[in-house]
Amino acid sequence: MAEKVLVRRLDPTPATLVASATRPAGVGVEIEPGQWLIDGDARPLDATLVLDMRDAYVGFAVTGDEADALLAQGMALDFARLAPDFAGRAKLGEIAVLIDRWPGGWRVRCERSYAEWLAGWFARAAALMSSTGGI
Amino acid sequence: MSGYRLKPVEPDARVTVRFDGRDFEARRGESLAATLLAAGETTVARSFKYHRPRGIVAHGAHEPNALVQTKDGMALATQLDAREGLDARAVNCWPGPRFDLAGVLDRFGALLPAGFPYKTFMGPGGRAWPFFERVIRALAGLGTLPTQTRPLRIEKRHAHCELLIVGAGEAGRAAAAQARRPGLRTILADDGACPDFGHVTSLGHTTVLARHEGGLFLALERAPHPGLDARLWKIRAGAAVLATGAVERPLVFAGNDRPGVMLLSAILAYARRDFVAAGRRVLIACNNDEGYDGALALAEAGVGIVGIVDMRLGAGGPARARLERSGVPIHEGMAIGAARGVPVAGARLVRLDGTDATRDVACDAIAMAGGHTPLVHLHSHAGGPLAYAGDAAAFLPAGAHEGAWSAGAANGRGLAAAADGARAARLALGGPAEPEIPLSPAGGLLARWESPPAPGADKAFVDFGSDVTAADIRLAAREGYDGVELLKRYTATGMALDQGRTSNMNALDVLARARGLSPDRAGTTTFRPPFLPVPFAAFADPGGPLWKPSRVTPLTAWHETRGAKMYESGANWRRPGYYPRAGETLDAACARECAAVREAAGIYDSSPLGKFEVAGPDAGAFLDFVYATRLSDLKPGRGRYALQLHEDGRLFDDGIVFRLAPERFFVTTTTGNADACLQRFSYCRQVLRPDLRVVVASVTEQWADLVLCGPRARDVLAAAAIDPPRDLPFMGIAGIELAGRPALVARAGFTGEMSFEMFVPASSAPAIWDRLLSAGAAFGIAPVGSEANHVLRIEKGFISVGHEGDGIAGPDDLGLGFAVHADKPDFVGRAALMRDRADPAPRPQLVGLLARDPAFVLPEGAAVLRADAAVGRGFVTASCASGALGRSLALALIEDGRALIGRDVAVAIDGGIAGAHVVRPAFYDPQGARQRG
């Protein structure tokens, strides 16, 4: 039986900030016009700036049938209408996060300093939830 | 009034509730109001100002009187569900609602007119007011805050839909029936039960509280499931149908507030939904045909009708003949001049043709049918315009507004609600234009609500909740408070429990007539969210560690483990204030940490500092534009103290900018302004200087910042086998490898001692921190908190943007003119700074203060006065006890402060004045020899 919702803190993995005139290849979240955070440590040749950012963000996987409903407690995104390859910046509760697709749900990344607070937020949100589905 | 049940309570639905210490039999789920009415318990409240006895007026959320107290707080008796164990009591009365000692105030009504606190109790000299203010405050207020300690469990949830329908009445249901397009998401929300349509999401027991711009609605769902008290929905709707209905309008006559006087629609609702009759002999007063229709409906439900008082002549529609045939007296061309008895036992009727004839009618309940006030609040919340419709005698939405279509009674089409609701839904979903449905106000409405008073009559109220009478409105108009917004504030009409839903139109009518205006010229007040009262908990966090975001550094766990007292600092960060040893006070710990820095070595966690990389061929030119300081001529490997200014030329932020490579800079900003700096960098890059080839990236979170400082700092580094270049100069920076990863080491700090600032990857920070502490143990190293940092920087006269950067002080005022390169052609704030420099007006200037008593620490924020007069000249920005100098020190911003150097000033302290001597703002090593090394 599928979990209603599961929030799991992800192990640190390499992440690289790439500033470039064109979108770099691979999975990436545009964090500012012309700047992407990409998984891995690729160094595109045409980049203006490449920075190791593996320590800057902490990721959480939010998966399960009620992943959208859990996130809807703090995010104004219209999850049902997001593109299949959606990835972007958004606000969760009071903080800025990066969100992109993840197998079975979403990956939410916050700045490292907010990770403990966000973990607490997820725990409380899960505790408040008992109805099924979002709107 | 002698209410009773039209149908006995089913045994399996029987519960016992308690009101004011007495038990009542109730039907589970009915409102407490229904229970009390059924028991003939007429007087359930006392009024706000006069403490007059009051009863239930309405059914549902629009009740203006019956506020009761429970252990969970206050609630309307009309909205409180009866359940076993419910215990409520009346508010604003003692010992109870039927006899209230403060009821004597009603006899002094002449002393309590509109605006009475200002004109009755403020005598010449104002000596009496402090006494009366205490008395008035003691008498004011209604219930008490909840006694429960359990925080409400309220979930917040965002939702999206293409169509939101507010109200599941006739219009709302018809609108929902139209919303059958595949893929269409429709939400139907209603304050009460909500029908299940299958193709819509029904939110029952959900009050839509507010409509904001962009189709954002706030709605509160009550008790969505066991264990959850409420859910606050934030609904973004592509379009909306506002089928919010209307509230019946009361009539204005003497004693219209007495227990037993109710809205006809409420009496009908109690009879039909709760099987409760409000009385055995109901007298109906009306100005439209609904009085007759309602009489028939009540009679059919088994409620006795003793007559109809109609302001009109020859009206009543088809229902009139049926009522007359059944012997119900019709008193036409008449109105109630006064209600008699408490609770109501009868009414004196007066003729409206100017004759003096009166007629007395015995009754135990009076039903008021004055037409309807459309609930246009949601339409108005987001700025939807209203227009007065004379036929309906009401303000109605002037068409659709930003995707929201009003429908049904809320749109003045109560008698054609279904058709109007369906039309609104079709239009909201993008259908072609359709002709408007004609207005359908209450049949034969006569635009008259106020009766001429019977001789010797009682007060006639327009607002029961705020105790505002028609006479108050006229008095306010005479006294010049004759605009609706002024009137509202002067009399408080519309500001009580029901927020004017039952009172506003009558208040406006009285005002308009007093001024000789038509109601549309008098205007209406502004409707503001929320539509109904909302628990604060719906918006606020319940508290605890999640009440607001907090940020931790990679070393926070270390600090906490070592017993550091953690402080909240800028931008949600938590930082160590000091590290007390066993039995050590703050002052002692701070002095010990300062001494370690001045005499040996200290280390502090400066990770929250804002950190940015700026790169590109035009990076130097970009920084020259953003900063007042020239940075494009920095050599690689060197840094410079730099200032950012506001557009008005005043200090915005400071920090050190390092050049790592010809096209790459490393920028530090203050902690509190880090986010604002990022926004400013982005704005300058994208909007003001898009011509420059530059990128800016925040690396605040990637890099931890460990600062090692003190005369033994270099020894500690050596012992820790950390080897920055031996020739690294003051304000130099170099890349090194630490714990196997690249890092940066800079010769900079904030304490005035030899300092090494190490920017290391966040995940490496704990290991490097431990390494430095272990290596430094032999040299007397101490971890240092923000308390000690504060002292050390005051000793040096270094500014802190959070203290000395008060938004008024400019760089010259703070003695930082050296960091402004005004010869640059342009930078943010330059024009305003040049204007400041050309202006001879005196400016606040940063100086040092030495208290006359060296043991006395001047309070931060204290006013600095001229020595010869109690005139403010400035204030103390920062102050401390300096162990290094053996005395107290302070920094202050004082008007023309530099001219006062060498002179004395006075500082206002609690209970008197402290003398202080003005000096230059650099107390310790003013030449900076120690930090340069």
Side-chain angles (χ1 to χ4, degrees):
Chain A
M1 191 177 124
E3 294 281 354
K4 286 173 71 175
V5 64
L6 179 67
V7 181
R8 183 167 55 90
R9 187 170 177 147
L10 298 171
D11 292 333
T13 53
T16 305
L17 183 145
V18 175
S20 170
T22 56
R23 186 186 180 107
V27 178
V29 179
E30 187 167 26
I31 56 177
E32 185 150 330
Q35 288 183 28
W36 287 267
L37 188 71
I38 62 172
D39 291 326
D41 47 14
R43 304 181 74 82
L45 292 175
D46 60 345
T48 313
L49 182 67
V50 177
L51 294 173
D52 176 10
M53 297 292 269
R54 77 181 66 189
D55 287 358
Y57 294 94
V58 173
F60 295 85
V62 185
T63 56
D65 295 342
E66 295 204 4
D68 292 2
L70 179 87
L71 291 174
Q73 286 192 43
M75 298 185 90
L77 291 177
D78 188 355
F79 292 100
R81 295 288 191 266
L82 295 179
D85 62 347
F86 172 80
R89 283 171 63 93
K91 204 171 168 194
L92 194 161
E94 300 294 320
I95 67 170
V97 297
L98 308 176
I99 179 168
D100 54 3
R101 301 275 184 184
W102 191 257
W106 301 94
R107 174 172 62 168
V108 176
R109 282 179 287 181
C110 67
E111 292 181 326
R112 180 196 45 72
S113 61
Y114 283 117
E116 302 310 318
W117 182 86
L118 184 57
W121 188 94
F122 278 132
R124 187 176 68 183
L128 282 172
M129 253 182 61
S130 71
S131 66
T132 54
I135 293 176
Chain B
M1 189 167 171
S2 48
Y4 61 98
R5 290 197 184 274
L6 295 163
K7 183 178 156 187
V9 178
E10 304 78 4
D12 59 347
R14 197 172 293 155
V15 293
T16 301
V17 302
R18 202 166 176 77
F19 178 71
D20 250 28
R22 289 185 296 138
D23 289 339
F24 295 89
E25 180 188 85
R27 178 180 281 114
R28 185 185 300 109
E30 71 181 7
S31 66
L32 175 64
T35 303
L36 297 175
L37 280 174
E41 190 69 16
T42 312
T43 303
V44 300
R46 284 280 166 163
S47 71
F48 178 70
K49 187 165 83 173
Y50 298 117
H51 282 252
R52 287 168 66 95
R54 289 284 167 81
I56 291 152
V57 170
H59 188 281
H62 311 303
E63 167 61 36
N65 284 337
L67 189 72
V68 298
Q69 179 85 47
T70 73
K71 68 179 177 53
D72 293 331
M74 287 164 280
L76 292 173
T78 50
Q79 288 196 300
L80 203 54
D81 290 347
R83 54 180 163 74
E84 193 64 46
L86 174 67
D87 190 356
R89 62 181 171 79
V91 298
N92 202 38
C93 54
W94 191 85
R98 282 187 286 191
F99 174 71
D100 172 23
L101 276 180
V104 70
L105 287 170
D106 193 30
R107 298 178 184 276
F108 298 98
L111 293 175
L112 307 172
F116 73 92
Y118 313 107
K119 52 196 179 191
T120 306
F121 299 114
M122 289 185 176
R127 284 189 298 274
W129 174 242
F131 168 74
F132 285 114
E133 183 185 19
R134 280 198 299 275
V135 174
I136 291 168
R137 287 191 185 283
L139 288 172
L142 295 174
T144 59
L145 290 173
T147 54
Q148 63 163 12
T149 54
R150 179 182 72 84
L152 293 178
R153 285 171 58 85
I154 298 180
E155 179 193 329
K156 298 176 180 69
R157 181 85 72 91
H158 292 269
H160 298 261
C161 62
E162 281 66 58
L163 181 63
L164 171 67
I165 301 167
V166 186
E170 216 176 323
R173 292 196 304 272
Q178 296 289 317
R180 289 189 178 277
R181 192 180 301 166
L184 185 75
R185 294 174 298 179
T186 302
I187 297 175
L188 173 64
D190 192 273
D191 202 44
C194 211
D196 184 7
F197 279 89
H199 66 286
V200 306
T201 300
S202 294
L203 294 178
H205 305 288
T206 301
T207 304
V208 178
L209 302 166
R211 179 172 80 100
H212 297 287
E213 291 80 358
L216 172 64
F217 292 79
L218 293 186
L220 191 73
E221 182 182 11
R222 294 183 296 282
H225 59 72
L228 195 61
D229 295 295
R231 181 180 285 139
L232 181 71
W233 290 97
K234 302 172 187 178
I235 302 170
R236 285 165 177 82
V241 173
L242 309 178
T244 44
V247 171
E248 192 160 42
R249 189 165 164 179
L251 298 171
V252 182
F253 55 84
N256 62 346
D257 67 323
R258 296 186 179 202
V261 182
M262 299 175 66
L263 297 174
L264 172 60
S265 58
I267 294 180
L268 265 172
Y270 286 111
R272 287 170 162 172
R273 299 185 202 176
D274 302 306
F275 310 109
V276 169
R280 296 182 185 279
R281 293 168 296 143
V282 178
L283 178 66
I284 296 174
C286 65
N287 63 359
N288 65 83
D289 292 348
E290 287 182 358
Y292 297 82
D293 299 333
L296 276 181
L298 281 176
E300 284 170 13
V303 180
I305 307 297
V306 296
I308 294 179
V309 187
D310 191 344
M311 291 182 167
R312 306 165 304 168
L313 290 169
R320 174 171 175 158
R322 286 179 60 190
L323 288 165
E324 284 179 323
R325 278 198 299 276
S326 60
V328 174
I330 311 295
H331 309 282
E332 59 182 355
M334 302 190 85
I336 295 179
R340 309 175 77 173
V342 179
V344 161
R348 173 156 292 179
L349 312 187
V350 294
R351 295 205 65 82
L352 298 180
D353 59 5
T355 59
D356 292 336
T358 61
R359 189 180 300 166
D360 289 335
V361 178
C363 63
D364 63 357
I366 293 175
M368 301 180 287
H372 296 277
T373 301
L375 294 173
V376 296
H377 299 61
L378 293 179
H379 171 85
S380 299
H381 284 173
L386 299 172
Y388 188 77
D391 291 346
F395 285 93
L396 297 175
H401 179 256
E402 292 185 0
W405 276 260
S406 294
N411 198 32
R413 273 82 173 171
L415 299 181
D420 200 37
R423 173 183 179 274
R426 288 192 295 271
L427 293 172
L429 294 172
E434 297 182 28
E436 280 203 353
I437 289 171
L439 281 177
S440 53
L445 179 72
L446 174 70
R448 178 168 188 174
W449 292 268
E450 187 177 3
S451 308
D458 195 3
K459 299 180 183 73
F461 286 84
V462 294
D463 188 331
F464 303 132
S466 291
D467 260 354
V468 179
T469 65
D472 285 330
I473 303 290
R474 282 188 277 270
L475 177 66
R478 285 199 303 275
E479 292 179 342
Y481 299 93
D482 53 3
V484 287
E485 296 289 357
L486 279 176
L487 176 80
K488 175 179 167 179
R489 284 151 184 80
Y490 189 59
T491 63
T493 189
M495 297 170 78
L497 289 179
D498 73 350
Q499 290 284 286
R501 289 189 289 279
T502 59
S503 61
N504 269 1
M505 287 309 297
N506 281 339
L508 294 176
D509 179 67
V510 175
L511 174 69
R513 289 176 198 275
R515 293 185 57 198
L517 300 173
S518 59
D520 59 322
R521 294 281 308 281
T524 185
T525 52
T526 304
F527 297 98
R528 296 185 180 87
F531 177 62
L532 292 181
V534 194
F536 279 116
F539 299 112
D541 189 275
L546 298 175
W547 80 275
K548 73 169 205 171
S550 67
R551 305 170 79 173
V552 297
T553 78
L555 297 165
T556 296
W558 189 96
H559 303 315
E560 290 177 341
T561 304
R562 298 312 189 281
K565 299 295 181 190
M566 300 299 287
Y567 287 1
E568 194 176 307
S569 69
N572 297 326
W573 290 93
R574 292 179 67 241
R575 304 177 72 169
Y578 60 104
Y579 302 81
R581 292 177 177 168
E584 202 173 40
T585 64
L586 185 160
D587 289 344
C590 179
R592 175 178 50 74
E593 293 169 18
C594 289
V597 173
R598 292 282 180 242
E599 296 164 14
I603 184 169
Y604 60 91
D605 177 9
S606 194
S607 302
L609 208 65
K611 299 174 277 291
F612 301 88
E613 289 236 13
V614 179
D618 296 323
F622 173 78
L623 291 170
D624 276 353
F625 177 75
V626 176
Y627 281 83
T629 313
R630 179 178 289 106
L631 297 161
S632 57
D633 63 348
L634 262 179
K635 292 183 169 43
R638 299 305 302 267
R640 185 172 291 156
Y641 177 73
L643 303 177
Q644 290 184 68
L645 306 184
H646 286 291
E647 294 282 3
D648 64 3
R650 309 296 159 81
L651 182 68
F652 166 57
D653 199 65
D654 69 348
I656 300 176
V657 177
F658 299 98
R659 190 167 209 159
L660 302 177
E663 295 186 1
R664 194 166 167 189
F665 291 80
F666 185 76
V667 174
T668 63
T669 69
T670 61
T671 297
N673 277 338
D675 287 345
C677 284
L678 179 58
Q679 288 177 18
R680 169 180 278 224
F681 293 152
S682 296
Y683 181 73
C684 289
R685 187 174 70 85
Q686 296 178 45
V687 179
L688 300 182
R689 296 303 306 269
D691 55 312
L692 299 177
R693 296 162 297 164
V694 63
V695 294
V696 181
S698 169
V699 290
T700 298
E701 299 278 347
Q702 172 67 18
W703 297 107
D705 182 9
L706 318 182
V707 184
L708 177 67
C709 49
R712 307 303 300 272
R714 203 180 278 281
D715 297 329
V716 175
L717 279 181
I722 295 173
D723 299 315
R726 291 206 64 79
D727 59 350
L728 184 67
F730 178 61
M731 297 298 271
I733 192 167
I736 62 170
E737 190 174 288
L738 272 176
R741 295 181 67 183
L744 295 168
V745 178
R747 276 281 313 279
F750 196 46
T751 63
E753 297 293 338
M754 162 81 77
S755 296
F756 293 89
E757 194 157 359
M758 284 160 273
F759 301 98
V760 304
S763 60
S764 305
I768 298 168
W769 176 269
D770 283 340
R771 189 163 137 193
L772 287 164
L773 278 169
S774 298
F779 303 98
I781 194 170
V784 173
S786 56
E787 290 282 358
N789 258 303
H790 186 58
V791 173
L792 296 166
R793 73 98 182 169
I794 294 173
E795 289 174 345
K796 284 294 296 177
F798 291 157
I799 69 133
S800 161
V801 171
H803 286 76
E804 285 76 31
D806 63 348
I808 295 173
D812 298 338
D813 307 328
L814 296 168
L816 303 175
F818 67 89
V820 175
H821 296 127
D823 56 327
K824 291 192 296 181
D826 195 14
F827 56 82
V828 176
R830 184 182 186 280
L833 180 67
M834 294 302 105
R835 180 203 58 205
D836 269 359
R837 286 183 168 180
D839 186 349
R843 299 279 312 156
Q845 291 171 339
L846 185 71
V847 294
L849 290 183
L850 296 173
R852 189 170 297 151
D853 174 2
F856 181 70
V857 178
L858 296 169
E860 292 184 355
V864 179
L865 313 171
R866 274 193 240 250
D868 56 348
V871 177
R873 299 207 71 188
F875 66 101
V876 176
T877 59
S879 185
C880 69
S882 165
L885 296 168
R887 59 155 302 133
S888 65
L889 311 171
L891 297 174
L893 277 167
I894 304 179
E895 188 179 290
D896 266 342
R898 286 181 204 124
L900 296 175
I901 288 174
R903 297 167 61 183
D904 290 340
V905 291
V907 179
I909 58 172
D910 192 16
I913 292 290
H917 193 62
V918 182
V919 297
R920 295 188 185 282
F923 305 96
Y924 182 82
D925 184 25
Q927 304 305 316
R930 295 175 70 90
Q931 65 185 5
R932 291 174 190 279

